[in-house]
Amino acid sequence: MTGTFPATPRLSILDLAPIAPGGTVAQAFENSVALARAAEEHGYERVWYAEHHNMERIASSATSLLIGYVAGKTSTIRLGAGGVMLPNHAPLTIAEQFGTLASLHPGRIDLGLGRAPGSDQVTMRAMRRDPMSAESFPQDVLELQGYLADESRVPGVRATPGAGTNVPLYILGSSMFGARLAAAYGLPYAFASHFSPGLLEQAVAAYRAEFTPSAQLSEPYVIAGVNVVAAATSESARQQFETARRILVRGLVTRAPGAPDYSDEEIDEFLTTPNGRQLASMLTYSAVGTPDEVGAYLAAFAEKAQADELILAHQSTLIADRVESVRLTAAAVLGAATV
């Protein structure tokens, strides 16, 4: 398959504002500022924050508030949602929130949209979400787009702030549904291959084949997610990745009330089981190693994903290691001029 994607893709960052073991939410937010400043300094395109709920290690649930906080402490980097889970919200509310952000920080705000709940079924009910709300996602995207373009599809309703800001929309997904919706609407498509790798190539191929130009976008544009740990040595990078993987798996298997607190040894043993290998497969696309190793992996991954842009989830547990990974990856992929 051929495409117009660049030989050197743009780099961006996905940040969940992780709360470090023993750390606080406030520290997680300051770490997000440090990460965004590093991205700004080293030539990254954007930083996105993902909406998740009822996850004790993730602090990015109030996505628009976090974007505003980081935007006030940076200067040029684009910031956005990767994404807002639109069925959790009224489109008018999101238009007002992101219209406010765009008015305060012109030309710097993105709005990625997903249709998943961003949590479990119990939490979904706690958010008063209708279990069928995902069914209206295509219509909700158009309603939101209308508010932001000052072409409201709801007579007598106008988003203030929001109307006329034309905040760029992106469709997020890990299935054929999102790919085909993004293609039909002529919007950029971001595939969540950093945790749901299975349909990456099929979804991107469908998106590119079916893309219809729109007022926002004349040609298809693909962003693909990939995990990264870049360090001075391969051993250090591997150790950091294994630590982060244990934390991820521990969080997934201990969410039930009363679940035991598994040791590292027990987590490693679990990862050898069929269920453990299935969870580990979430991290199939992971660039781990020295800058040269990471750069080579990302170049091959961008070709495989037919991606114009890679959005990187830097997985090191310590913020100093994540910032260093941001710097080393930029040097390897974008060139020394960015560092």
Side-chain angles (χ1 to χ4, degrees):
M1 184 175 76
T2 60
T4 59
F5 48 93
T8 302
R10 296 173 177 176
L11 295 183
S12 295
I13 291 175
L14 179 67
D15 181 9
L16 305 186
I19 304 169
T24 67
V25 169
Q27 289 168 342
F29 293 153
E30 292 311 310
N31 291 345
S32 289
V33 171
L35 202 68
R37 286 174 171 169
E40 187 171 79
E41 179 181 356
H42 297 301
Y44 285 70
E45 185 76 10
R46 68 189 91 240
V47 180
W48 279 358
Y49 305 94
E51 178 186 345
H52 291 283
H53 300 281
N54 195 30
M55 296 184 180
E56 66 177 21
R57 293 297 181 192
I58 294 177
S60 56
S61 54
T63 313
S64 60
L65 293 178
L66 181 55
I67 292 168
Y69 180 70
V70 177
K73 293 179 175 290
T74 52
S75 300
T76 59
I77 188 80
R78 295 192 67 90
L79 301 166
V84 161
M85 301 297 105
L86 190 55
N88 293 346
H89 311 276
L92 177 61
T93 299
I94 297 303
E96 291 169 342
Q97 290 177 5
F98 280 79
T100 298
L101 289 168
S103 299
L104 291 170
H105 307 284
R108 296 182 58 200
I109 303 301
D110 300 327
L111 178 48
L113 302 170
R115 65 173 182 144
S119 192
D120 55 68
Q121 297 297 312
V122 174
T123 307
M124 187 173 76
R125 289 194 293 273
M127 293 189 294
R128 307 298 192 265
R129 173 173 167 169
D130 183 339
M132 299 302 294
S133 56
E135 299 300 317
S136 65
F137 180 69
Q139 293 76 29
D140 289 346
V141 171
L142 292 178
E143 182 181 338
L144 173 58
Q145 188 177 50
Y147 290 134
L148 294 170
D150 201 11
E151 297 174 356
S152 177
R153 293 171 175 262
V154 182
V157 177
R158 188 170 187 262
T160 306
T165 57
N166 292 297
V167 175
L169 301 183
Y170 298 73
I171 299 296
L172 279 58
S174 57
S175 70
M176 303 305 293
F177 177 90
R180 292 199 159 103
L181 184 70
Y185 287 0
L187 295 175
Y189 180 52
F191 191 91
S193 37
H194 62 292
F195 76 88
S196 185
L199 292 175
L200 171 63
E201 292 176 87
Q202 298 96 310
V204 170
Y207 167 72
R208 288 192 175 277
E210 299 174 18
F211 181 83
T212 301
S214 68
Q216 179 178 327
L217 193 65
S218 61
E219 296 180 346
Y221 191 88
V222 172
I223 303 174
V226 58
N227 303 288
V228 174
V229 178
T233 67
S234 297
E235 181 182 6
S236 176
R238 179 57 56 183
Q239 289 175 346
Q240 292 177 39
F241 180 76
E242 293 300 331
T243 298
R245 186 172 70 165
R246 289 189 191 106
I247 291 172
L248 169 67
V249 173
R250 184 179 287 111
L252 292 172
V253 301
T254 60
R255 293 192 66 186
D261 186 11
Y262 295 103
S263 68
D264 286 353
E265 291 75 18
E266 288 171 322
I267 293 295
D268 289 343
E269 179 64 24
F270 171 71
L271 285 169
T272 67
T273 69
N275 286 340
R277 287 193 293 271
Q278 183 176 7
L279 287 183
S281 71
M282 294 170 61
L283 302 179
T284 294
Y285 294 126
S286 297
V288 180
T290 64
D292 286 345
E293 291 168 335
V294 166
Y297 184 100
L298 293 179
F301 174 76
E303 176 72 19
K304 177 184 181 71
Q306 307 285 280
D308 302 279
E309 182 176 332
L310 302 180
I311 189 158
L312 313 182
H314 289 275
Q315 292 290 1
S316 301
T317 303
L318 300 178
I319 183 58
D321 290 334
R322 288 205 298 282
V323 168
E324 181 69 352
S325 184
V326 166
R327 184 185 73 82
L328 293 175
T329 302
V333 177
L334 303 177
T338 67
V339 297

